[in-house]
Amino acid sequence: MLISYFDDYARDYEPYKAGAWCYEDGCLYRGLITLHEATGDRRWLDHLTRLVDAQVDADGGLADYRIIEFNIDNILPGRALFYLHRLTGKARYLEAARLLGRQLTHHPRIASGPYWHKLRYPHQVWLDGLYMAMPFKIELGLALSDQRLVEDAIAQFNSAIDLTFDAASGLYRHGYDESRLQDWADPDTGLSPAHWARSIGWLAMAFVDVIEHLPEGETRRDLSTRLIALNDRLAALATKDHRWLQVIDAPEATGNYPESSATAMFAYALQKSERLGIDQRGDLGRSALLALANLEVRPVAGGRRQLHNICCVAGLGPFQGIYRDGSIAYYLTEAIRPDDIKGVGPLMMAEAERLLAESTTFSRQNESQRRPAVNAV
């Protein structure tokens, strides 16, 4: 059921910001890449190529991309450039990735190293940005054989998770303000006040996508330990039907609801944690995926299906005439929109992980059947 839904969605997808290079389209690109890797089915690569090629010109320029905005979100879709360059060898994809790398060379940072989230959010680190930039920077370093880029990405990631960690809950806060100037920032810790599930979902995906590229050793072990601790908390906070709430640790809050994008992100990260040999909670991820497929992918008028209960957007600070204070009440006022790509992309990724696990299990069963019987002595 999900495969046909994804195919229909990608076929009819209209770029999120009228064709401008943006992270929302990057969520779809990640979904298509993981489906292609898991299945080898050409349709996912065809969708990816068609959409990316509409945004990358012959010289590697990116549609409506402005480096001086220093928007960390704009880095995420760049991961598709490495994938297409590896498959096609076309230089323009790598040139476009180098352009994004130039942004990261000059992107402003807080004193301890992590990038500002955006130029218009000065001195702030948001969990979202760790997923947007760190796996890309590692892949850029690998593509250019520049270990300094890899090491800087790991150092930033370690610093950011230390700064955003809330020891009392075992979770991570959406934002950290080094300056303590934002009204949402705690004057002592600089942290935002509540635990928004999708921000932690971005972080969970960043964990597995960073660890994936690390060799065995102390750094990989340390990050894996941090991820296992997060997975422990996710297991404890899952709803009875294997989903996670918009404000993940506030089941008593009026209006709190199972949110689909965070659930899909955790479904992906938990399964990938298992595949990478970090943790053994892949079944929880697959149960979450099944819950979304059964409860939230529903028919609408005209026979099509949609993924429901996706928070459209949430942030911190001033935006479109309101001040987003990071409270529980704030997160429960944000609009809910079906089929938003920030939910559908991670759902694709979670299904790709399920397919990989299924194929691995099938291969092991076949191998077991091929082995000659050993007579007992």
Side-chain angles (χ1 to χ4, degrees):
M1 179 183 76
L2 286 179
I3 292 298
S4 61
Y5 164 65
F6 294 148
D7 195 24
D8 290 342
Y9 186 96
R11 184 190 62 236
D12 298 337
Y13 182 77
E14 295 184 5
Y16 204 91
K17 293 178 179 172
W21 187 256
C22 65
Y23 87 91
E24 291 92 346
D25 294 346
C27 293
L28 177 58
Y29 301 162
R30 290 299 306 154
L32 294 171
I33 288 168
T34 56
L35 285 171
H36 184 246
E37 289 177 323
T39 68
D41 190 330
R42 178 76 193 198
R43 76 176 113 174
W44 311 121
L45 179 60
D46 289 344
H47 286 313
L48 177 70
T49 304
R50 169 177 53 84
L51 292 164
V52 173
D53 281 357
Q55 296 181 321
V56 182
D57 67 25
D59 299 317
L62 299 170
D64 295 324
Y65 168 74
R66 297 174 179 84
I67 194 171
I68 58 173
E69 291 178 355
F70 291 105
N71 182 342
I72 208 72
D73 289 341
N74 286 334
I75 302 301
L76 173 63
R79 296 178 68 187
L81 301 169
F82 299 122
Y83 193 69
L84 291 174
H85 180 256
R86 287 196 299 270
L87 292 180
T88 69
K90 293 181 179 178
R92 65 191 178 104
Y93 295 127
L94 190 57
E95 287 305 306
R98 289 179 187 272
L99 176 60
L100 296 173
R102 283 184 57 209
Q103 175 185 323
L104 296 184
T105 298
H106 301 286
H107 200 100
R109 301 171 181 241
I110 65 171
S112 61
Y115 294 128
W116 292 7
H117 191 62
K118 297 179 185 179
L119 190 62
R120 63 188 178 97
Y121 297 131
H123 310 290
Q124 299 168 44
V125 176
W126 296 9
L127 295 182
D128 323 15
L130 303 183
Y131 179 68
M132 304 300 167
M134 295 306 107
F136 171 90
K137 188 162 189 174
I138 290 173
E139 290 185 30
L140 179 66
L142 295 174
L144 301 180
S145 299
D146 188 341
Q147 185 63 21
R148 294 170 302 173
L149 298 178
V150 177
E151 292 171 358
D152 182 66
I154 296 167
Q156 285 198 53
F157 190 75
N158 275 311
S159 177
I161 60 177
D162 285 342
L163 290 170
T164 55
F165 183 63
D166 173 50
S169 64
L171 296 169
Y172 295 80
R173 298 288 175 84
H174 186 177
Y176 166 78
D177 176 17
E178 176 188 48
S179 69
R180 313 306 201 261
L181 293 176
Q182 291 298 315
D183 289 345
W184 54 256
D186 182 282
D188 295 323
T189 66
L191 295 175
S192 55
H195 295 113
W196 179 39
R198 187 159 78 217
S199 69
I200 301 170
W202 293 122
L203 176 63
M205 296 199 300
F207 261 115
V208 293
D209 285 8
V210 166
I211 292 171
E212 177 180 28
H213 294 292
L214 301 183
E216 293 298 331
E218 183 178 1
T219 300
R220 185 181 178 113
R221 287 194 300 271
D222 288 348
L223 286 180
S224 295
T225 298
R226 297 287 293 263
L227 177 56
I228 290 168
L230 176 58
N231 289 348
D232 286 343
R233 295 297 295 128
L234 294 179
L237 292 168
T239 64
K240 290 181 179 179
D241 60 8
H242 312 293
R243 293 183 288 172
W244 286 272
L245 300 175
Q246 165 78 340
V247 183
I248 193 169
D249 58 344
E252 75 289 347
T254 301
N256 210 353
Y257 63 96
E259 200 279 326
S260 293
S261 68
T263 297
M265 290 175 179
F266 295 140
Y268 165 74
L270 286 161
Q271 291 182 87
K272 190 166 181 177
S273 294
E274 182 177 70
R275 178 164 64 84
L276 294 177
I278 298 166
D279 205 350
Q280 295 300 315
R281 269 175 280 235
D283 284 346
L284 177 57
R286 285 182 283 278
S287 294
L289 173 64
L290 183 62
L292 288 174
N294 289 339
L295 299 173
E296 298 293 3
V297 179
R298 304 195 298 267
V300 294
R304 294 292 295 273
R305 286 164 291 164
Q306 290 183 333
L307 175 63
H308 292 264
N309 275 323
I310 305 169
C311 174
C312 182
V313 68
L316 297 165
F319 183 70
Q320 295 183 348
I322 66 168
Y323 191 86
R324 303 169 298 179
D325 65 4
S327 65
I328 292 174
Y330 157 66
Y331 288 117
L332 298 179
T333 64
E334 282 290 7
I336 297 170
R337 180 165 67 186
D339 259 6
D340 191 279
I341 188 53
K342 295 181 287 294
V344 180
L347 188 67
M348 291 177 169
M349 296 159 64
E351 173 65 2
E353 286 296 328
R354 187 194 69 79
L355 292 170
L356 285 172
E358 184 180 73
S359 64
T360 300
T361 300
F362 180 76
S363 296
R364 286 173 179 165
Q365 289 173 343
N366 279 356
E367 178 64 24
S368 177
Q369 291 170 0
R370 286 195 296 268
R371 291 181 188 141
V374 177
N375 294 324
V377 177

